[in-house]
Amino acid sequence: MRRVALLGATGSIGRQAIDVVAAHPDLELCALQSRSTPLDGAAATHGVEHVQVGGDPVVLLERSRPDVVLNAIVGFAGVEATLWALEAGVTLALANKESLVAAGELALAAQARGGGLLLPVDSEHSALHQCLEGRPRDTVTGLVLTASGGPFRGFSRDALADVSAAEALRHPTWSMGPKITIDSATLANKGLELIEAHWLFGVPYDRIEIVVHPSSVVHGLVRLRDGALLAHAGLPDMRVPISYALTYPDRAATSVADLDLHDLTLSFGRPDEHAFPLLALAREAGERGGTAPCAFNAANEVAVAAFLEGRLGFLEIGDVVAETLAAVDGAAARDLDELVAADREARGLAARRLQPA
Ligand code: NDP
Ligand code: MG
């Protein structure tokens, strides 16, 4: 029996993870956590012993002694849980990409000490993990992440000036929580995923491509030195990567339908980095290193929250992030305290930019 601690249990990933665990006889939920949504119903239905609403997720993890931590908290708030699991050598199934973006170096150092597994739940990275598995690194020449392009694919910069939060929340292919849905509309999500892929697979940024692929059927591709290109395809359904990470390496069956290849047309295009500047800003932050990715993430979180509340325009999300990145020194964080300080500083700079002059 594999004991799963599920953080962010009430969210989009969390609810799907509960279904995956319930469908698999060898998985058991030992802990559930949310920020403020009650968990009594889910805990009773699934017989979960350790439940925590609010507070420090690490306290719950220490109490519940899981075999796997599924971190599906949204945002930088997931960073302590990520570092705890990696340090303890407990398998980490990671949906919370923001923690790896912000704390990449600290996370890899913690994993090297802890010696546990880090399994991506993000669909693109799960796909890449599967294509890369067992492959000598010197045979791999590049990674390709696909992006749906979001609800505003094909929009010019001018056309994006007046789009509303309600329009941005209508994602064409994935049903997700509000923060990642806005990130998908700005392409900040693909920027976060670029940095996430760099840390997960140790591939330099200039060897990670982003292509727009509207139907979200091909999730990731790996280029090999002999000219081969391996692609991972399937219906866009997060239960597949969640199940892969929770049952690794057994790859348990799921109830997700097979992809029907008849009448299927695939198209791939170039992202419009002029209309969607957050992708290039993420690449710059990643290449700069240190705490620049942490600042990118922090400013983006502040700006997205303001956009969702109607206090900021869509295009200004990119402006806030660009101005914040220009204002921070980006010096590397030697420990979690320094990282939290860098996150806080970037949030302060971004929040100041939001106030009317
Ligand atoms: P949701 O907004 O749907 O859910 C977020 C969850 O995190 C909720 O359970 C929420 O609890 C909890 N939470 C929020 N803030 C805190 C906090 N400060 N401390 C502790 N818990 C908190 O998000 P998603 O499920 O969409 O996304 C979760 C993560 O997975 C994100 O990092 C996202 O980028 C990533 N991801 C999501 C995908 C998807 O399909 N949804 C796909 C790939 C990655 P409460 O209900 O109490 O607010
Ligand atoms: Mg993804």
Side-chain angles (χ1 to χ4, degrees), residues 125 128 141-145 193-199 201-210 283:
H125 305 72
L128 294 175
T141 54
L143 306 178
V144 185
L145 293 165
E193 291 186 355
L194 171 76
I195 301 171
E196 182 187 13
H198 168 76
W199 290 118
F201 306 119
V203 173
Y205 287 103
D206 61 2
R207 293 187 174 263
I208 310 175
E209 295 162 70
I210 308 293
R283 194 178 278 278

Side-chain angles (χ1 to χ4, degrees), residues 12 87 94 97 103 126 131 169 192 194 204 208-209 226 246 251 260 265 268 273 278 285 288 292 306 323:
S12 162
E87 193 78 54
L94 185 66
K97 66 190 87 184
S126 177
C131 291
L169 285 169
L192 293 169
L194 171 76
I208 310 175
E209 295 162 70
D226 57 2
L246 292 182
R251 196 185 270 278
D260 185 354
T265 308
F268 299 92
E273 297 204 354
L278 280 146
R288 205 171 136 193
E323 287 168 29

Side-chain angles (χ1 to χ4, degrees), residues 264-281:
L264 181 69
T265 308
L266 301 177
S267 74
F268 299 92
R270 215 177 275 284
D272 179 349
E273 297 204 354
H274 177 63
F276 301 96
L278 280 146
L279 184 53
L281 285 168

Side-chain angles (χ1 to χ4, degrees), residues 107-125:
L108 291 201
Q111 189 192 13
R113 290 189 294 268
L117 285 173
L118 169 51
L119 299 168
V121 169
D122 214 347
S123 54
E124 296 78 0
H125 305 72

Side-chain angles (χ1 to χ4, degrees), residues 3 13 149 174 328:
R3 290 161 55 81
I13 293 287
W174 295 100
V328 296

Side-chain angles (χ1 to χ4, degrees), residues 277-330:
L278 280 146
L279 184 53
L281 285 168
R283 194 178 278 278
E284 274 168 45
E287 280 169 352
R288 205 171 136 193
T291 50
C294 174
F296 172 90
N297 176 67
N300 183 56
E301 285 190 32
V302 169
V304 168
F307 173 68
L308 282 168
E309 290 164 15
R311 293 186 285 123
L312 194 73
F314 186 82
L315 290 176
E316 288 174 295
I317 300 173
D319 298 341
V320 169
V321 173
E323 287 168 29
T324 303
L325 280 172
V328 296
D329 70 9

